[in-house]
Amino acid sequence: MSQVDGSADVALNVPGDVHSALLAAGVITDPYWRDTEASLDWVHESEWIAQTTFEFTPKGGRYTLTLDSVDCHAIVSVNDIEIGRCDNQFLRWDFDATEALLPGQNTLTVRFLSNSEIAQAKAAASDIVIPYMARNNRLAHFNHLRKTQCHAGWDWNIALSPLGIYGDVTLRRTDDARLDDVMFRQTHAGGRVTLEATVVFEAAGPTSPMITLSVDGQTITLSPQTYPGENRATLLAVIENPCLWWPVGEGEPHQYDVTLRLNGQTRAYTIGLREVILDTSADAIGNRFAFRVNGRDIFMRGANWIPADALPERGTPEVARDLLTSALEANMNMIRIWGGGQYEADWFYDMCDEMGIMIWQDFMFACNAYPAHQRDFLATVQAEARQQIRRLSSHASLALWCGDNELVGALNWFDESETDRDRYLAIYDRLNHALEEAIDDEAPDVAFWPSSPSIGRLNFNDGWHTDTAGDMHFWDVWHSAKDFEHYRTVRPRFCSEFGFQSMPSMACIKTFTTPKDRNISSKVMEVHQRNEGGNARIVETIQRYFKFPDNFADMAYLSQVSQGLAMKTSIEFWRTCKPRCMGTLYWQLNDTWPVASWASLEYGGAWKSTHYLARRFFDPVMVTAQPNAVTGDIVIWAVNETDAPVSLTVGLRAVDLAGPMETLDTVSGVVPTGMAVELTRLAAERVGAQHFLHFSWVDTECRFEGENDYLPRRPKDYDLADPIIDVQVEDAGRSVTLTSSSPALYVTYDHGGSAVYSDNCFTLLPGLPKTLTRLRDRGAPLDEKAAQVWYLRG
């Protein structure tokens, strides 16, 4: 790879990106270090040429050069003969290379054009101004490009505008017919599953290819008469008494081996058989929004997924598996692949199939207007949508196609669309209709939802604050600086976005700062905070709930406790609203670079405090205390999301922060699977001014147990004792036992380390030892001398 009219002749990995190649060769410094970012703008402003050579022996037939994903505008040549141009990162490109190939050595060249310059040129050429979210995007007009939108910035991402090749590059030889796509559909009825495979292939002339579908010990054969151009042929296989695929926690994610052949071309799949229905039926409140899998309504617990790294080459299967494993370990059963990111590679969906993680899949549009008044833009969008619908149809994890993220709300964010809303609504409708048309034509076996948030099809009203129908994005607590308790003022049918920021751990902060940078107001810390006013809101919230910290490290820790309390407050309350509420997906699971953000996994995958709390507030059997707004009582609720009722016994105690504990009640009850139930309630005065409520539970079969607490007052309003915490480390750090002299809140061991522990950010009661087990080493072995205990101080 080399810069056009420049130097920097370096190796480019495939898959890989230009920035990673330059960094590996020492041409540029780490983009994530301090405030390096803007100094690297010359990279995306330049054009780059990537070349490779290969040997070729002609064997007759046609030859197609296929590039799975090119980012994003590029000219592709073989032996200096242009065979095609790429202009959409989300399209697979199939170029006929037959006439350009030579016996012997051949040269393949990909010339990357400047994405950022093309974005500017497209915006200037548009006859209608198409506004973009300038406060989120340091680089302008990327809404004119079909590339990962957050490559231009966002309120958590670095703006590098990467260029590269992200998938395979293959030279395919075919005879009369070239296999391009396979669209799978499932029909479940009468205890059997009909698996339908529609084969999409390109024919060079009249032909009758041999097509076979093999599954569950049977082979279905078809030899249709076809004609030049795109052809389709459909094969059906019936599986009797199928073993079904279930999401995690509901059953086994069973899969079948499926083989599809067209002449000599073979595709192998592993396919789980499941039926996923989105129930939006009317009820006494408005309309439901509930996922039904294999006839069972399932409460969706999870988070939003963004690209695994801002440098695409670093988003490897190993990195993704680590992040998805952490999602599983926090009791998540769904992720939402957000519309400002990217459709992930096949291996990503394979992992979700294997793990039983369900996927809400956005089409890749977010938070902007788009030039859908242009026919060429709509044409590439429809081609992209059709390819992606077909490609992902084999994955049992796919639960929903969603048209976009927040495009309806964005109509109110720009002067142009506020002044002339009818015009921009019409442009939006063209885009949304193009996606709906692709869905209708390809007919996947999962539902289409027009937008997120949305009240429903062809409804362009406020989905942000309506909690009676559709999915909701609830951002009043963060963006409007409301108290955490404000989460209890709404009861969404499904909340697909909400969140609260924190700083990364000190371990992470040290990777991109020098000691002088470690101040919340430093330039470097502000560069690594992309949300306007974000650091001020973090500080404001800390002082609202806690006594102000003495140092920067304590501030980083308290910011994570604040984030965790926000998510605990919202999710525990919304889970008590089941079956009215049937899902919570918080913003966001992961980070793309080291930054202050809403993620529960900081860059590199270390668990923030929120992720440990998620392990508890997403527990399938969970008990929580909620204040009753009318009576002032403290209500004890139980939620059961297993497939059978559970009988719980809950012990309640009042804990004085000076040390003594008082047993209050022991209550028992049967908790069904379909709803949250009230177990008991306490008068508020039973928990004194210097006390908090602590409770633990276990079921009769000792399969489910846990503990939780409820602070009637804000932590800063208590007179905290100064606990002495004894730490005993055994078995090379694989077992850590902590004992405290007095109650200690939000106790966290090895904050931001590479290990995953059985618990963290918990309440430590006096004289009751707590043993942490190191479940998984994500990176370097534990440095016991560096490990530290954090807890709330007075």
Side-chain angles (χ1 to χ4, degrees):
M1 181 191 78
S2 60
Q3 183 184 15
V4 174
D5 300 326
S7 54
D9 190 1
V10 302
L12 173 69
N13 291 328
V14 176
D17 62 86
V18 170
H19 286 81
S20 294
L22 296 173
L23 182 60
V27 177
I28 63 173
T29 56
D30 184 354
Y32 302 167
W33 173 248
R34 303 189 76 233
D35 56 350
T36 302
E37 174 188 351
S39 69
L40 301 180
D41 282 348
W42 65 273
V43 177
H44 66 74
E45 291 168 354
S46 300
E47 294 188 4
W48 299 86
I49 290 179
Q51 285 189 333
T52 192
T53 59
F54 61 96
E55 293 294 321
F56 173 70
T57 302
K59 295 181 180 179
R62 301 165 60 214
Y63 291 88
T64 300
L65 183 75
T66 295
L67 300 99
D68 286 346
S69 177
V70 175
D71 189 5
C72 103
H73 282 261
I75 303 169
V76 180
S77 303
V78 173
N79 300 323
D80 295 326
I81 298 172
E82 181 180 324
I83 62 170
R85 295 193 174 211
C86 307
D87 60 9
N88 186 330
Q89 176 190 335
F90 309 128
L91 267 177
R92 181 195 68 245
W93 297 97
D94 298 314
F95 298 132
D96 191 336
T98 308
E99 300 303 320
L101 291 166
L102 299 172
Q105 189 176 78
N106 288 253
T107 300
L108 168 63
T109 304
V110 178
R111 179 171 179 144
F112 298 104
L113 308 180
S114 168
N115 292 330
S116 51
E117 285 192 6
I118 288 175
Q120 297 277 4
K122 283 182 172 290
S126 177
D127 58 332
I128 298 175
V129 174
I130 303 298
Y132 73 98
M133 184 57 69
R135 69 173 179 265
N136 269 6
N137 292 271
R138 189 174 68 83
L139 305 178
H141 304 301
F142 272 47
N143 50 339
H144 286 269
L145 302 177
R146 291 311 298 142
K147 96 180 240 84
T148 301
Q149 295 290 273
C150 65
H151 283 173
W154 235 262
D155 50 7
W156 39 263
N157 197 29
I158 189 172
L160 295 176
S161 183
L163 309 95
I165 300 172
Y166 303 154
D168 289 338
V169 180
T170 55
L171 187 63
R172 296 191 284 156
R173 177 189 174 277
T174 58
D175 293 317
D176 298 328
R178 183 188 71 208
L179 175 58
D180 287 338
D181 296 307
V182 182
M183 180 72 203
F184 288 99
R185 305 174 190 88
Q186 302 177 27
T187 303
H188 292 240
R192 63 174 62 90
V193 176
T194 300
L195 182 64
E196 176 181 323
T198 297
V199 183
V200 183
F201 57 98
E202 187 80 11
T207 184
S208 298
M210 180 65 69
I211 308 173
T212 62
L213 172 66
S214 300
V215 59
D216 193 35
Q218 57 184 303
T219 297
I220 314 301
T221 303
L222 188 66
S223 184
Q225 178 64 48
T226 59
Y227 300 93
E230 183 179 281
N231 290 262
R232 295 186 178 213
T234 298
L235 299 88
L236 302 176
V238 177
I239 296 96
E240 301 283 353
N241 302 312
C243 294
L244 297 181
W245 182 96
W246 286 96
V248 60
E250 305 293 330
E252 293 299 317
H254 186 85
Q255 293 180 282
Y256 287 80
D257 291 327
V258 179
T259 304
L260 195 291
R261 293 183 177 86
L262 188 151
N263 292 345
Q265 303 161 74
T266 301
R267 301 272 179 91
Y269 303 89
T270 53
I271 295 181
L273 304 179
R274 87 290 179 259
E275 182 182 50
V276 182
I277 294 172
L278 178 65
D279 180 3
T280 57
S281 60
D283 60 14
I285 303 166
N287 289 86
R288 298 197 77 201
F289 194 100
F291 288 93
R292 184 172 302 130
V293 183
N294 301 332
R296 186 186 302 167
D297 284 2
I298 297 177
F299 190 101
M300 294 301 168
R301 311 180 304 269
N304 284 256
W305 172 274
I306 60 176
D309 204 293
L311 291 174
E313 186 172 322
R314 294 183 179 178
T316 63
E318 294 74 22
V319 169
R321 181 173 287 277
D322 173 53
L323 297 171
L324 291 172
T325 298
S326 291
L328 278 186
E329 290 169 335
N331 290 309
M332 296 185 187
N333 59 10
M334 175 177 270
I335 59 171
R336 174 184 175 223
I337 298 181
W338 168 75
Q342 62 199 22
Y343 309 98
E344 295 293 341
D346 287 330
W347 50 257
F348 181 92
Y349 299 92
D350 289 339
M351 289 180 189
C352 291
D353 292 344
E354 166 201 331
M355 294 179 175
I357 299 175
M358 302 203 74
I359 294 174
W360 168 317
Q361 177 70 59
D362 282 2
F363 286 104
M364 293 298 118
F365 304 91
C367 301
N368 283 307
Y370 286 89
H373 62 296
Q374 297 172 349
R375 293 183 64 182
D376 59 342
F377 183 84
L378 283 181
T380 194
V381 163
Q382 279 219 322
E384 164 195 322
R386 292 175 190 277
Q387 269 194 16
Q388 296 294 345
I389 292 167
R390 297 168 191 165
R391 180 175 73 93
L392 301 187
S393 66
S394 66
H395 295 286
S397 54
L398 191 70
L400 183 73
W401 278 104
C402 179
D404 62 71
N405 176 79
E406 299 184 351
L407 263 58
V408 176
L411 293 169
N412 303 315
W413 298 347
F414 308 110
D415 291 341
E416 295 88 349
S417 54
E418 281 196 303
T419 302
D420 194 359
R421 191 176 193 271
D422 287 352
R423 165 180 278 190
Y424 287 91
L425 177 58
I427 294 173
Y428 168 74
D429 185 60
R430 288 188 176 190
L431 173 61
N432 197 253
H433 178 72
L435 297 173
E436 187 176 41
E437 189 176 74
I439 287 283
D440 288 345
D441 290 347
E442 301 299 333
D445 55 23
V446 298
F448 173 68
W449 189 243
S451 180
S452 184
S454 176
I455 301 170
R457 183 172 181 266
L458 297 179
N459 190 323
F460 304 110
N461 290 316
D462 180 16
W464 297 74
H465 298 93
T466 300
D467 66 354
T468 57
D471 75 309
M472 190 178 197
H473 292 189
F474 193 67
W475 281 105
D476 281 5
V477 173
W478 173 257
H479 287 299
S480 300
K482 299 286 183 67
D483 294 344
F484 297 162
E485 294 77 9
H486 187 66
Y487 283 120
R488 299 192 183 109
T489 65
V490 296
R491 294 190 294 160
R493 309 312 301 261
F494 194 109
C495 202
S496 49
E497 259 198 43
F498 60 101
F500 204 87
Q501 272 202 5
S502 73
M503 296 161 61
S505 69
M506 284 303 298
C508 181
I509 289 171
K510 289 176 181 178
T511 67
F512 66 87
T513 62
T514 63
K516 69 177 182 179
D517 300 325
R518 294 164 197 163
N519 183 293
I520 193 70
S521 300
S522 74
K523 177 183 177 182
V524 169
M525 290 304 297
E526 289 178 346
V527 165
H528 290 252
Q529 163 61 269
R530 309 314 283 248
N531 184 236
E532 185 176 351
N535 284 345
R537 192 157 299 128
I538 288 173
V539 172
E540 174 193 1
T541 303
I542 288 174
Q543 66 84 27
R544 188 182 295 177
Y545 285 90
F546 305 99
K547 293 176 182 176
F548 208 74
D550 294 330
N551 56 64
F552 180 73
D554 283 350
M555 182 176 290
Y557 158 73
L558 282 179
S559 77
Q560 293 201 12
V561 176
S562 295
Q563 179 191 41
L565 285 181
M567 295 300 91
K568 172 180 163 62
T569 302
S570 56
I571 292 171
E572 289 190 2
F573 174 68
W574 290 338
R575 287 186 69 187
T576 70
C577 299
K578 180 183 178 181
R580 175 186 176 124
C581 178
M582 286 300 293
T584 60
L585 308 177
Y586 65 73
W587 185 267
Q588 68 219 55
L589 179 66
N590 55 304
D591 270 332
T592 58
W593 72 307
V595 66
S597 84
W598 299 269
S600 63
L601 299 173
E602 66 189 24
Y603 181 69
W607 288 33
K608 290 184 179 179
S609 297
T610 297
H611 210 76
Y612 281 105
L613 291 177
R615 189 186 185 95
R616 301 202 292 274
F617 60 61
F618 276 153
D619 199 320
V621 177
M622 185 268 296
V623 179
T624 179
Q626 298 293 328
N628 185 287
V630 177
T631 66
D633 292 344
I634 302 170
V635 183
I636 307 301
W637 292 88
V639 181
N640 170 25
E641 286 160 13
T642 69
D643 60 359
V646 296
S647 297
L648 293 182
T649 298
V650 182
L652 306 167
R653 64 180 75 179
V655 182
D656 187 333
L657 277 164
M661 296 183 288
E662 174 191 355
T663 299
L664 297 178
D665 293 316
T666 299
V667 297
S668 298
V670 176
V671 188
T673 61
M675 63 184 67
V677 296
E678 178 183 330
L679 293 179
T680 190
R681 58 177 59 202
L682 303 173
E685 56 267 22
R686 293 195 66 187
V687 182
Q690 271 300 109
H691 292 71
F692 66 92
L693 182 66
H694 185 272
F695 44 100
S696 57
W697 64 89
V698 65
D699 74 306
T700 54
E701 298 179 7
C702 297
R703 293 184 303 151
F704 306 106
E705 60 181 341
E707 59 183 35
N708 203 345
D709 46 38
Y710 171 74
L711 276 66
R713 305 163 67 197
R714 295 181 176 184
K716 73 175 184 179
D717 295 330
Y718 290 93
D719 293 327
L720 299 178
D722 188 14
I724 299 172
I725 298 179
D726 177 69
V727 180
Q728 297 294 325
V729 179
E730 298 177 333
D731 196 16
R734 282 182 283 273
S735 177
V736 181
T737 301
L738 302 111
T739 308
S740 180
S741 61
S742 58
L745 299 176
Y746 316 120
V747 177
T748 305
Y749 180 76
D750 191 27
H751 187 219
S754 61
V756 173
Y757 294 96
S758 54
D759 203 357
N760 238 332
C761 198
F762 52 82
T763 298
L764 191 58
L765 298 179
L768 297 179
K770 175 93 170 182
T771 298
L772 310 181
T773 303
R774 200 163 84 227
L775 301 178
R776 184 162 64 95
D777 286 316
R778 300 181 42 267
L782 174 68
D783 181 354
E784 296 176 30
K785 294 180 180 179
Q788 184 176 352
V789 178
W790 303 79
Y791 57 92
L792 196 62
R793 296 175 172 85

